[in-house]
């Protein structure tokens, strides 16, 4: 089996590439390196012993993308490539619609042209927005409240309408909060500039690169007053993609799954666990709520467990230990 992975040098794409290669699947990576580094290809090879095919290609260029499909006999696509910063999407909405929506249209066009009939799409808990009841089930109303979340919802619509019209198979995975890194410490999340997500921020405080964490809100209706989220190890998430491909071996139609642990952890829980993993004190200050944040967000992932035979396995302690190993071994990311 040969799988095209768009965004394959990114955080989740690189871990998924490792997972697939370790199962003997041929991987072809397409990435324009707008938010990742070529070094990731070397690291994937170091972990797996196999060098994936790599194309430095922008999926928004239909002709370039078609050339990859011409060169490689692709069986399935896992579509990660997207821009993902919520704050940047508010500042530059057109960039986000252009990249995430046009990119997805082109991926679907290429699949139609080259008769590829299976796709796994990266979606996000961001599609639920502020309205859902926890634990969130897949049928909760979709009400994204920022341009990024709206591009994810539009990607879902494009892929499902297209899959239905062409009678092919699509699995849409809505990830909750992916954190951690491959246990080798060779690949991990490498945010450019100051991180906006909690885990890379905590990890840079532990490493002494940032002075202290600002805890956004301490008066939420949660057990300790800080925000509660559903954190999931990126390697568990990567395994979910393998299970999605297996699902598509014998099924057509559109299948949508929440991919989370089903458990909520507060910001203070995460600080405590990271301190344990790193043996370092995490300096923090209680601060104002971040606009647009919800008090709590965690998944009901029972459908994925039932239909994909997938379940998150790693504990928060392991997520923090792996994140810290990655941070320690690569203080300057992939440089
Ligand atoms: P990432 O930025 O690390 O990876 C995305 C990759 O796509 C990058 O390597 C980037 O260079 C590439 N890319 C972007 N636009 C491209 C284009 N036009 N052409 C070719 N390559 C392009 O992000 P990630 O965290 O690995 O996220 C992967 C996917 O998962 C995204 O679709 C994101 O929306 C989704 N997602 C991420 C999270 C999260 O918290 N990390 C949560 C939910 C959903
Ligand atoms: C987690 C918790 C913050 C930073 C976003 C997207 C979601 C998905 C994952 C892409 C919250 C608190 C954070 C800090 C803090 N991405 N926090 N200080 O907002 O749950 O989810 O990323 O699809 O769609 O919405 O993740 O890591 O930013 O925040 O106190 O410096 O940590 O308030 O409670 P979030 P996060």
């Amino acid at each position: 089996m040969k799988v095209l992975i768009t965004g394959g040098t990114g955080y989740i794409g690189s871990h998924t590439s490792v997972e697939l290669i370790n199962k003997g699947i041929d991987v072809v990576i397409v990435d324009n390196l707008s938010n990742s580094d070529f070094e990731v290809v070397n690291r994937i090879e170091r972990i797996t012993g196999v060098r994936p095919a790599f194309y430095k290609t922008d999926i928004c260029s239909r002709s370039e993308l078609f050339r990859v499909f011409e060169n490689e006999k692709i069986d399935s696509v896992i579509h990660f490539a997207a821009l993902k910063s919520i704050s940047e999407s508010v500042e530059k909405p057109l960039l986000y619609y252009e990249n995430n929506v046009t990119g997805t249209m082109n991926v679907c066009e290429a699949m139609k042209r080259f008769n590829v009939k299976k796709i796994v799409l990266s979606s996000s808990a961001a599609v639920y927005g502020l309205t859902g009841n926890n634990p969130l089930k897949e049928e909760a109303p979709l009400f994204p409240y920022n341009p990024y979340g709206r591009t994810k919802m539009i990607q879902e619509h494009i892929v499902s309408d297209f899959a239905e019209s062409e009678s092919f198979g699509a699995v849409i995975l809505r990830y909750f909060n992916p954190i951690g890194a491959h246990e080798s410490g060779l690949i991990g999340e490498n945010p450019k500039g100051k991180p906006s997500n909690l885990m890379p921020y905590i990890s840079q405080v532990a490493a002494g690169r940032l002075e202290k964490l600002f805890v956004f809100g301490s008066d939420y209706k949660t057990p300790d007053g800080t925000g509660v989220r559903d954190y999931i190890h990126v390697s568990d998430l990567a395994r979910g993609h393998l299970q999605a491909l297996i699902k598509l071996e014998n099924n057509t139609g559109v299948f949508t799954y929440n991919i989370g642990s089903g458990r909520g952890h507060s910001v203070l829980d995460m600080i405590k666990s990271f301190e344990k993993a790193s043996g370092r004190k995490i300096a923090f200050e209680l601060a104002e709520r971040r606009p647009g944040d919800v008090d709590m967000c965690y998944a009901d992932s029972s459908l994925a467990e039932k239909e994909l035979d997938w379940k998150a396995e790693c504990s928060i302690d392991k997520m923090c230990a792996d994140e810290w190993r990655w941070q320690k071994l690569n203080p300057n990311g992939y440089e």
Side-chain angles (χ1 to χ4, degrees):
M1 199 204 301
K2 192 180 267 192
V3 179
L4 179 84
I5 304 198
T6 74
T9 44
Y11 174 43
I12 306 169
S14 56
H15 288 78
T16 302
S17 297
V18 165
E19 180 70 29
L20 267 55
I21 292 171
N22 281 341
K23 290 285 179 307
I25 296 171
D26 272 356
V27 163
V28 176
I29 292 176
V30 164
D31 201 299
N32 65 358
L33 302 181
S34 59
N35 197 37
S36 56
D37 298 83
F38 178 71
E39 171 61 15
V40 173
V41 178
N42 300 328
R43 302 286 179 99
I44 293 172
E45 184 180 10
R46 274 176 68 187
I47 297 171
T48 63
V50 175
R51 191 169 185 82
F54 174 75
Y55 292 83
K56 182 172 184 298
T57 296
D58 193 321
I59 59 165
C60 291
S61 162
R62 192 175 288 185
S63 57
E64 279 186 41
L65 185 62
F66 276 28
R67 219 167 296 134
V68 179
F69 279 78
E70 263 156 28
N71 283 351
E72 308 279 350
K73 175 84 194 75
I74 303 296
D75 298 301
S76 317
V77 174
I78 304 183
H79 178 31
F80 291 105
L83 296 173
K84 64 163 181 179
S85 156
I86 289 174
S87 54
E88 188 184 44
S89 81
V90 174
E91 283 157 28
K92 300 174 184 167
L94 297 186
L95 175 68
Y96 272 65
Y97 284 104
E98 169 69 20
N99 195 73
N100 296 0
V101 176
T102 306
T104 303
M105 298 274 290
N106 287 345
V107 167
C108 291
E109 285 286 359
M111 290 176 67
K112 184 175 163 78
R113 170 79 173 269
F114 294 90
N115 202 28
V116 178
K117 292 189 166 290
K118 295 174 191 133
I119 183 169
V120 180
L121 173 72
S122 295
S123 188
S124 167
V127 297
Y128 295 119
L130 304 171
T131 54
N133 291 322
N134 288 293
L136 281 156
K137 280 181 170 298
E138 289 81 356
E139 63 264 25
L142 302 192
F143 199 71
Y145 58 90
N146 51 56
Y148 164 73
R150 283 189 276 275
T151 67
K152 289 277 119 186
M153 187 179 72
I154 294 168
Q155 286 186 323
E156 287 197 7
H157 289 320
I158 294 170
V159 165
S160 27
D161 288 344
F162 179 59
E164 266 160 24
S165 77
E166 297 292 320
S167 305
F168 71 55
V171 172
I172 294 169
L173 299 179
R174 294 182 181 148
Y175 320 146
F176 278 65
N177 289 58
I179 61 167
H182 191 264
E183 59 184 7
S184 63
L186 285 170
I187 53 174
E189 188 171 14
N190 185 29
K192 310 231 185 255
K194 204 184 211 181
S196 55
N197 291 118
L198 179 66
M199 204 25 47
Y201 204 109
I202 290 185
S203 143
Q204 292 193 16
V205 172
R209 286 174 66 182
L210 293 169
E211 190 200 334
K212 63 180 164 191
L213 172 75
F214 294 93
V215 176
F216 298 145
S218 51
D219 57 354
Y220 283 114
K221 285 199 195 95
T222 58
D224 65 19
T226 66
V228 165
R229 296 291 183 274
D230 185 335
Y231 297 95
I232 172 171
H233 196 297
V234 65
S235 296
D236 273 340
L237 181 54
R239 205 167 32 79
H241 294 78
L242 184 69
Q243 294 307 107
L245 288 177
I246 292 170
K247 170 90 183 168
L248 292 178
E249 273 174 14
N250 301 312
N251 291 286
T252 57
V254 181
F255 307 92
T256 302
Y257 302 107
N258 285 338
I259 298 290
S261 71
R263 288 182 300 273
H265 292 275
S266 74
V267 177
L268 297 183
D269 290 338
M270 300 309 286
I271 293 174
K272 228 176 280 159
S273 184
F274 208 90
E275 285 182 336
K276 194 161 106 191
S278 63
R280 304 216 174 161
K281 200 89 201 122
I282 308 295
F284 70 88
E285 181 181 317
L286 299 180
E288 290 297 297
R289 292 181 180 195
R290 185 172 63 179
D293 269 358
V294 286
D295 55 352
M296 219 184 256
C297 172
Y298 61 95
D300 179 334
S301 286
S302 54
L303 195 62
E305 187 173 348
K306 187 164 146 233
E307 296 191 7
L308 293 182
D309 192 21
W310 174 90
K311 200 168 142 199
E313 284 169 1
C314 299
S315 65
I316 289 292
D317 285 349
K318 172 156 175 63
M319 297 180 213
C320 291
D322 288 346
E323 179 95 26
W324 179 236
R325 186 178 308 107
W326 154 251
Q327 172 69 48
K328 256 190 328 191
L329 292 174
N330 306 271
N332 300 312
Y334 289 107
E335 277 164 31

